[in-house]
Amino acid sequence: MRTYLVGGAVRDKLLGRAVADRDHVVVGARPEDLLERGYRPVGKDFPVFLHPDSGEEYALARTERKTGRGYHGFAFDADPSVTLEQDLQRRDLTINAIAEDAEGRLIDPFGGLADLEARVLRHVSPAFAEDPVRILRVARFLARYAPLGFRIAEETLVLMRGMVAAGEADHLVPERVWAETRKALAEPRPSAFLSSLRACGALRVLFAEVDALYGVPQRAEFHPEVDTGIHVELVVDMAAQLAPGDDLVGWCALVHDLGKALTPAEELPRHVMHEERGVAPIEALAARLRVPAEHAALAVLCCRLHLLVHRALELKPSTVLKLFERFDGFRKPQRLDRLLTVCEADKRGRAGLADSDYPQAGYLRAAHAAACAVTAAPFVAEGLQGPAIAEAMRAARVRAIAAVTRPD
């Protein structure tokens, strides 16, 4: 029985990045061999075990055979005769097919080290085309590693296009699409996820509402980049910069302008009422991908309210209060920061405006804090009851907001 460190742990160690998870492959063993040593089984589809002390994952070396469509269409063979090279050959990318033995020696049968050096994401073998999840994984890896100069190998992109054309992407289950999307939106450059999927045709299949934004013009005086799809790429990257690792902010940034794809042609490049037109496609996409409830709800709120937030310095105090009430900001105050971050990303996610200020955020945070400081206690002490307390609190909150100094 021989054990090797594999996958992301080896890759990220070689890239000088922090290693989050350490996965191992075991060659020449049967499940009984690991059970006798105290390993705990966790795998359902194939034998995976947790180390009795470290809790790290150890999987028996295995091969795969395509038996049907989609992610689940595989048969696995974890016989003790399966070699390390056979196990590595079933992996998606060469940079993920490097192993390290107990003495620290690297085993690299598919050129992963050279591709790390060249900053290339390249498939290991034609078997890549058997698993449509790999389309999403490659796009997600590019969202992570594009800042380091990585690109997708042309032959891998050709393979991905062929998979989409063959209908493989149509068989991706919503849970897997969302799982990969959520991770991609938390990476440093989510735009690379979008551009990769668009380049192979998968964006149109999986995110038709987002794909429809490309080529839709906007007014150049407000959007120097003009193309709405390019604007969304800039916005998701800015969101990743302002809120690193926050996929909720990333999701709201991704879908905040979906209504612009529905603007009548005769109204272009203006987009009157796009914040209301965007609600239906957001709800449709969220339902199709089965996104978490707060992601779906906050995305709709960001869509509906982002223009109002942009105009915050012009609003009457009573309108500012209504804004807070519309996103349930007194019962769910955590929504404020995310809403403001999405709106700031929208403002700064435009060609040449990445370093612009967004004073609306500071003002609205101060106004919200002032309004939250108003409590019911003094009105109860005055003898007010029921609706009268609520009315008095609203009036007091308006006065508190009016007292907040607005930036010049």
Side-chain angles (χ1 to χ4, degrees):
M1 189 174 88
R2 298 176 305 283
T3 301
Y4 302 86
L5 186 67
V6 293
V10 179
R11 176 197 68 226
D12 286 343
K13 181 179 176 181
L14 292 169
L15 286 172
R17 293 169 57 94
V19 175
D21 299 308
R22 290 169 51 88
D23 295 327
H24 306 260
V25 65
V26 182
V27 177
R30 301 167 302 156
E32 295 81 6
D33 298 324
L34 295 182
L35 292 173
E36 289 172 1
R37 290 167 170 79
Y39 287 75
R40 290 176 287 123
V42 294
K44 293 181 181 179
D45 297 325
F46 42 81
V48 179
F49 300 82
L50 297 183
H51 191 281
D53 298 322
S54 69
E56 295 176 352
E57 285 195 1
Y58 286 70
L60 296 184
R62 65 185 189 270
T63 58
E64 297 175 350
R65 179 171 53 84
K66 184 75 168 174
T67 59
R69 288 277 198 175
Y71 172 68
H72 293 291
F74 290 92
F76 298 95
D77 178 14
D79 187 85
S81 64
V82 175
T83 67
L84 174 64
E85 183 169 331
Q86 286 176 315
D87 182 89
L88 295 176
Q89 187 173 20
R90 68 175 177 77
R91 297 174 185 268
D92 50 7
L93 299 172
T94 60
I95 64 170
N96 296 331
I98 307 170
E100 180 182 295
D101 68 14
E103 286 72 42
R105 293 186 294 260
L106 296 176
I107 299 91
D108 176 32
F110 302 104
L113 289 169
D115 283 341
L116 277 178
E117 184 69 25
R119 299 298 195 251
V120 174
L121 302 179
R122 190 191 318 275
H123 63 284
V124 172
S125 76
F128 176 98
E130 296 176 350
D131 185 356
V133 173
R134 290 175 169 177
I135 297 171
L136 292 164
R137 279 174 55 82
V138 170
R140 172 168 64 82
F141 278 127
L142 193 63
R144 180 185 302 173
Y145 295 121
L148 300 180
F150 275 81
R151 60 181 175 82
I152 301 174
E154 183 58 35
E155 61 267 35
T156 301
L157 199 54
V158 168
L159 198 58
M160 291 164 64
R161 289 191 189 112
M163 294 167 69
V164 174
E168 280 289 336
D170 300 324
H171 296 274
L172 284 165
V173 297
E175 291 80 5
R176 289 309 303 263
V177 176
W178 172 244
E180 295 297 329
T181 301
R182 187 173 200 168
K183 292 175 184 177
L185 291 171
E187 298 290 2
R189 195 172 295 172
S191 64
F193 179 74
L194 300 179
S195 60
S196 300
L197 295 182
R198 186 165 179 252
C200 70
L203 192 68
R204 174 178 44 80
V205 175
L206 302 174
F207 303 91
E209 297 87 350
V210 177
D211 187 67
L213 295 173
Y214 288 88
V216 175
Q218 304 164 106
R219 294 172 65 181
E221 63 267 36
F222 300 120
H223 289 275
E225 70 285 352
V226 180
D227 189 306
T228 305
I230 301 303
H231 168 57
V232 168
E233 290 187 6
L234 294 171
V235 174
V236 294
D237 284 353
M238 182 56 65
Q241 178 181 323
L242 296 173
D246 192 329
D247 61 85
L248 176 50
V249 167
W251 169 254
C252 295
L254 174 66
V255 301
H256 81 284
D257 262 352
L258 291 189
K260 289 184 176 179
L262 302 177
T263 300
E266 62 272 15
E267 295 181 14
L268 296 174
R270 299 172 72 246
H271 292 277
V272 178
M273 295 297 292
H274 76 275
E275 66 274 24
E276 289 302 322
R277 289 190 178 113
V279 172
I282 289 175
E283 291 178 340
L285 182 58
R288 195 168 70 246
L289 297 185
R290 301 175 190 171
V291 308
E294 182 63 8
H295 283 65
L298 190 59
V300 168
L301 288 168
C302 289
C303 177
R304 279 189 161 134
L305 300 178
H306 68 279
L307 294 188
L308 199 59
V309 172
H310 291 337
R311 293 176 45 234
L313 303 183
E314 310 162 18
L315 302 178
K316 295 185 297 183
S318 59
T319 307
V320 173
L321 178 59
K322 289 177 183 176
L323 169 63
F324 296 153
E325 291 171 340
R326 286 184 68 180
F327 67 82
D328 205 3
F330 297 109
R331 290 196 312 125
K332 299 179 179 179
Q334 71 277 8
R335 282 182 167 178
L336 176 67
D337 272 339
R338 284 191 163 111
L339 171 63
L340 294 179
T341 301
V342 172
C343 292
E344 182 174 353
D346 178 37
K347 175 65 181 300
R348 295 172 60 184
R350 309 180 191 202
L353 298 179
D355 297 321
S356 58
D357 294 327
Y358 196 68
Q360 296 92 327
Y363 165 67
L364 286 175
R365 287 190 178 97
H368 185 256
C372 286
V374 175
T375 66
F379 306 113
V380 172
E382 290 177 15
L384 298 181
Q385 295 180 350
I389 295 176
E391 186 176 339
M393 285 186 67
R394 289 194 87 260
R397 282 171 168 167
V398 170
R399 291 194 298 273
I401 292 169
V404 174
T405 302
R406 302 187 184 217
D408 296 330

